[in-house]
Amino acid sequence: MTAPLDVSGQAMEAQPEAVLEGAGGKAIEGRSLGQIAWMRLKRDKAAFVGAFVVVFLTLIAIFAERPFGGLIALFGDPPNLPNNDLIDPMTSAPLGTWGGMSLEHPFGLEPVNGRDLFARILSGAQISLLVAFLATLVSVVLGSLLGVLAGFFGGWVDTLISRLMDVFLAFPLLLFAIAIVGAVPDKALGLSGNGLRVAVIVFIIGFFNWPYIARIVRGQTLSLREREFVDAARSLGAGNRYIIFREVFPNLVAPILVYATLLIPSNILFEAALSFLGVGVAEPQASWGGMLTRAVDYYQIAPHFMIVPGLAIFVTVMAFNLLGDGLRDALDPRAR
Amino acid sequence: MVAFIVRRVIAAVLMLVIVSVATFAIFFLIPRALGQTPEGMASRYVGRDATPEAIQGAVKRLHLDDPLIVQYGRFAKGIVAGQDYSLGPRKAECPAPCFGFSFNNNQPVWPTLLDRLPATMSLALGAAVVWLVAGVSIGVISALKRGTAVDRAAMTVALAGVSLPIYFTGLVSLSVFAYTLGIFPGGGSYTGLTEDPVMWFQALVLPWVTLAFLYAALYARLTRAGMLETMGEDYIRTARAKGLKERTVVTKHALRATLTPILTIFGLDLGLLLGGAVLTESTFSIPGIGKLVIDAIRGNDLPVVLGVTLFAAFFIVLANLIVDILYAVVDPRVRLS
């Protein structure tokens, strides 16, 4: 793209980057990839909304229960406190309109036992984001490492890792996850109960998703390996380790960041799906998917019990997707 | 072409072996690696409050104290040649292909799988038709009208579609269309096609639409991206320069190139769903393979879970193979690599 000669307002709207390069006859400033990406991202309103919601939800999850009972204590009931007096004994639906929504219980109450949904949504946010972030971290570490090795060394290393990726991608992930959760004993690795469940789920999601990151990283590494700056480093006597970590890897940070951001929402959905199926986080710990399982039995008398956790999942996943799409468009000009 | 097919078939068989090893490892290696004793594993087959003698007996009968490699050999042989289980005084036959034996209801798993397959197939194939048609047409229209209100609206809906959990859309659709409006029957009303075709259709409309909504959203995004990339290619410019009608350029030149990778993904997605549409089936209580596995895990019936996992993996490998071969028919370059 060449800088247009016409520096009218209209062109400014259409191609601000190009215009800025030549605007006002000033010296052309070099801009890093990061600066260009930031400029593009600032213009992407949807991505900005996504980023805002993501930061907001992450803060909520971090401060949900700590310090001193956190946001939950600030706003009312703890997540497991029953409110039997607020439940209609005939229908077991909460008393009052909209499932008992009020200032004290902004999201209403759970049918049957009357637990406060606001507290349970916040508590579920913690689990959801914790699992999603940790699992993404596992995938990113495994995927980047194996992807770089495959792309950089080629030959049998590449063949082996690529075949391994094919094998992993051919597994029915959800069924494997169900099977593994079923096969893991009640106590292992010094953990039990939900601690063990969370560890197992993080491991499964992280361990089976690394090929998505590795595939991208491998492809990028293949082309980076042939670039002049790598030759230059090599001719100056740099070893493989230096080239991989100092020359190649910094160029991989952008794509890894994009695909990690896009992996988080799919991990949130996956964790929720496992909890929905009853093989994820177990009661009494609140989880969004687990709440929807119980909602199956009550959607006729208490539709809010289905809508509240459903919307929580939707808003969170959508926000991460918007941010991820925005980051991809900003960092990868080809993908626009 | 023959050489290519032979190569792919050999690769698929190898893949099946790997998948069976992995599945076996999940059920026998992982528990052992996490410190589960053979007795602990046996107690999962005979029930938690069995006597120590009964558990010891189960360990012996199921050969759980054998080395893992021997156990795998027996497991693999069972798939190919069948296997007998001794249940105390009497023997239980598990003819080939033995995908395991459920001790909860004293039945081999394979016939149960076949029993559940029609429901899953009805769901998956019906939904596939809907999402392929809807997803691809929306994607193409979006790409051709790039940047317009139509494109933006379609892509916003598509993004929302991939962000909504399927069991949530399923529940909402049940609540609105089955419970409030009463247009369609509620959950758990699946009837076999041969029993009552009208009821079969009515009961599957909501599950089809729910499942298809997610995949249509996904395919619309993929098609749009692929279409935009193809429309920027030189040969599209050449086609236009030749004076071809825009309609011909789009359908004959651009769409064909866009569709090949999408069909690959389609084959894999369909293969995956045929092995059990777990979430949709449990939301709508459709007695398919996915519902089977969920009921089995709740009832602690591990052999059924193992059987379904293996069955689903076989479907994926098979789908992979078919897609690869079809791809080679469509695109001759693939055969050479």
Side-chain angles (χ1 to χ4, degrees):
Chain A
M1 203 193 283
T2 50
L5 294 171
D6 169 32
V7 201
S8 67
Q10 204 182 359
M12 194 77 104
E13 273 294 304
Q15 301 171 310
E17 290 164 49
V19 171
L20 279 174
E21 274 167 22
K26 274 189 221 152
I28 296 168
E29 265 180 67
R31 253 182 270 113
S32 72
L33 181 70
Q35 285 168 315
I36 296 174
W38 177 241
M39 265 179 41
R40 291 204 193 116
L41 197 61
K42 269 197 296 195
R43 284 205 306 273
D44 190 342
K45 280 189 211 108
F48 233 77
V49 172
F52 178 77
V53 176
V54 163
V55 171
F56 180 70
L57 287 170
T58 312
L59 288 177
I60 283 186
I62 292 172
F63 295 110
E65 281 178 312
R66 72 191 78 81
F68 314 118
L71 293 166
I72 293 177
L74 211 60
F75 285 98
D77 290 356
N80 287 325
L81 182 80
N83 283 307
N84 292 322
D85 51 322
L86 297 174
I87 295 295
D88 184 339
M90 298 298 288
T91 61
S92 52
L95 293 166
T97 47
W98 281 100
M101 284 187 196
S102 63
L103 278 178
E104 269 163 84
H105 306 290
F107 291 170
L109 298 164
E110 187 174 337
V112 183
N113 50 24
R115 291 183 291 191
D116 181 50
L117 285 186
F118 179 77
R120 292 188 72 73
I121 288 289
L122 255 58
S123 177
Q126 252 182 351
I127 290 286
S128 201
L129 292 182
L130 179 76
V131 169
F133 276 114
L134 287 180
T136 306
L137 191 68
V138 173
S139 301
V140 165
V141 170
L142 276 174
S144 323
L145 198 68
L146 290 169
V148 165
L149 289 180
F152 190 80
F153 290 109
W156 66 267
V157 180
D158 186 24
T159 312
L160 184 75
I161 293 175
S162 296
R163 286 293 146 269
L164 201 63
M165 289 198 273
D166 289 348
V167 170
F168 269 82
L169 292 174
F171 284 148
L173 180 51
L174 190 57
L175 284 174
F176 262 48
I178 295 170
I180 293 174
V181 172
V184 167
D186 298 337
K187 278 201 190 73
L189 311 169
L191 293 168
S192 64
N194 271 329
L196 180 64
R197 276 288 174 88
V198 168
V200 169
I201 294 168
V202 166
F203 167 79
I204 297 169
I205 305 179
F207 190 69
F208 281 94
N209 275 332
W210 68 264
Y212 291 99
I213 302 280
R215 215 167 30 180
I216 308 287
V217 170
R218 175 183 169 271
Q220 295 277 323
T221 311
L222 276 178
S223 69
L224 285 171
R225 187 180 65 173
E226 309 296 332
R227 295 275 286 274
E228 290 85 351
F229 65 86
V230 173
D231 287 342
R234 201 180 290 288
S235 67
L236 288 171
N240 279 338
R241 187 205 293 242
Y242 182 90
I243 293 177
I244 289 178
F245 287 105
R246 291 298 174 85
E247 303 287 342
V248 174
F249 196 73
N251 290 291
L252 292 171
V253 172
I256 291 176
L257 183 71
V258 169
Y259 288 92
T261 312
L262 288 171
L263 202 53
I264 291 174
S266 87
N267 289 350
I268 292 175
L269 283 176
F270 200 87
E271 184 276 327
L274 288 180
S275 298
F276 174 76
L277 293 171
V279 291
V281 181
E283 284 277 323
Q285 168 62 48
S287 65
W288 295 344
M291 292 163 87
L292 279 166
T293 317
R294 290 171 51 77
V296 172
D297 298 326
Y298 299 106
Y299 71 83
Q300 299 175 345
I301 54 161
H304 77 288
F305 188 43
M306 148 187 96
I307 292 166
V308 169
L311 282 184
I313 299 177
F314 173 62
V315 168
T316 313
V317 171
M318 182 91 171
F320 274 103
N321 274 331
L322 283 173
L323 176 62
D325 278 3
L327 277 178
R328 187 187 51 204
D329 293 350
L331 288 168
D332 181 7
R334 213 176 42 85
R336 271 186 303 176
Chain B
M1 188 67 196
V2 175
F4 173 81
I5 293 179
V6 170
R7 261 208 323 273
R8 296 309 306 177
V9 170
I10 293 173
V13 172
L14 264 178
M15 191 75 190
L16 288 181
V17 174
I18 295 173
V19 164
S20 75
V21 171
T23 314
F24 179 83
I26 287 179
F27 287 91
F28 296 93
L29 183 68
I30 289 183
R32 204 176 265 201
L34 291 176
Q36 182 93 302
T37 55
E39 285 76 23
M41 286 177 62
S43 73
R44 311 196 66 158
Y45 292 100
V46 291
R48 267 157 215 273
D49 29 55
T51 60
E53 291 77 32
I55 291 177
Q56 270 308 326
V59 170
K60 283 274 166 308
R61 283 203 300 278
L62 299 170
H63 307 282
L64 288 171
D65 47 357
D66 281 355
L68 282 175
I69 187 86
V70 176
Q71 289 192 45
Y72 176 74
R74 195 175 294 119
F75 165 80
K77 193 182 144 236
I79 297 175
V80 184
Q83 184 179 0
D84 286 341
Y85 289 93
S86 50
L87 298 166
R90 57 192 190 82
K91 272 197 185 304
E93 255 182 64
C94 181
C98 178
F99 272 51
F101 190 92
S102 163
F103 296 97
N104 277 24
N105 44 22
N106 282 328
Q107 257 187 358
V109 175
W110 180 254
T112 320
L113 286 174
L114 293 186
D115 214 37
R116 299 293 192 106
L117 191 56
T120 297
M121 280 179 91
S122 309
L123 173 63
L125 294 177
V129 174
V130 180
W131 93 59
L132 197 60
V133 173
V136 170
S137 14
I138 292 170
V140 169
I141 292 170
S142 244
L144 294 181
K145 297 193 180 286
R146 181 187 192 181
T148 62
V150 177
D151 175 32
R152 253 173 291 151
M155 283 306 112
T156 310
V157 174
L159 187 66
V162 296
S163 305
L164 280 165
I166 202 157
Y167 39 88
F168 178 53
T169 30
L171 273 181
V172 171
S173 71
L174 272 178
S175 156
V176 174
F177 295 105
Y179 179 68
T180 310
L181 299 177
I183 308 174
F184 296 108
S189 43
Y190 173 83
T191 322
L193 175 61
T194 46
E195 278 170 61
D196 184 352
V198 177
M199 190 61 205
W200 172 82
F201 184 82
Q202 283 181 335
L204 278 171
V205 171
L206 286 183
W208 279 336
V209 173
T210 307
L211 186 56
F213 181 57
L214 168 69
Y215 281 94
L218 212 62
Y219 280 52
R221 280 161 66 90
L222 285 174
T223 310
R224 180 179 179 274
M227 198 70 183
L228 285 179
E229 206 178 317
T230 321
M231 292 299 276
E233 297 276 347
D234 288 346
Y235 70 86
I236 296 293
R237 197 177 51 197
T238 310
R240 283 195 181 126
K242 281 196 300 189
L244 290 183
K245 272 181 287 186
E246 188 62 20
R247 191 188 178 80
T248 320
V249 174
V250 170
T251 52
K252 284 258 168 83
H253 294 242
L255 191 58
R256 195 171 282 189
T258 311
L259 277 187
T260 17
I262 299 231
L263 285 179
T264 314
I265 301 169
F266 176 72
L268 297 182
D269 282 340
L270 193 60
L272 194 63
L273 282 179
L274 285 176
V278 183
L279 292 167
T280 317
E281 285 174 24
S282 41
T283 308
F284 291 97
S285 290
I286 297 169
I289 294 172
K291 185 84 169 46
L292 176 70
V293 75
I294 283 306
D295 293 341
I297 200 95
R298 289 191 182 139
N300 219 354
D301 197 355
L302 284 187
V304 172
V305 182
L306 196 160
V308 173
T309 314
L310 209 56
F311 191 64
F314 281 13
F315 257 120
I316 293 179
V317 173
L318 190 69
N320 238 323
L321 179 67
I322 295 172
V323 163
D324 273 355
I325 292 174
L326 284 182
Y327 210 110
V329 173
V330 179
D331 186 350
R333 283 171 304 177
V334 177
R335 276 175 245 165
L336 301 171
S337 64

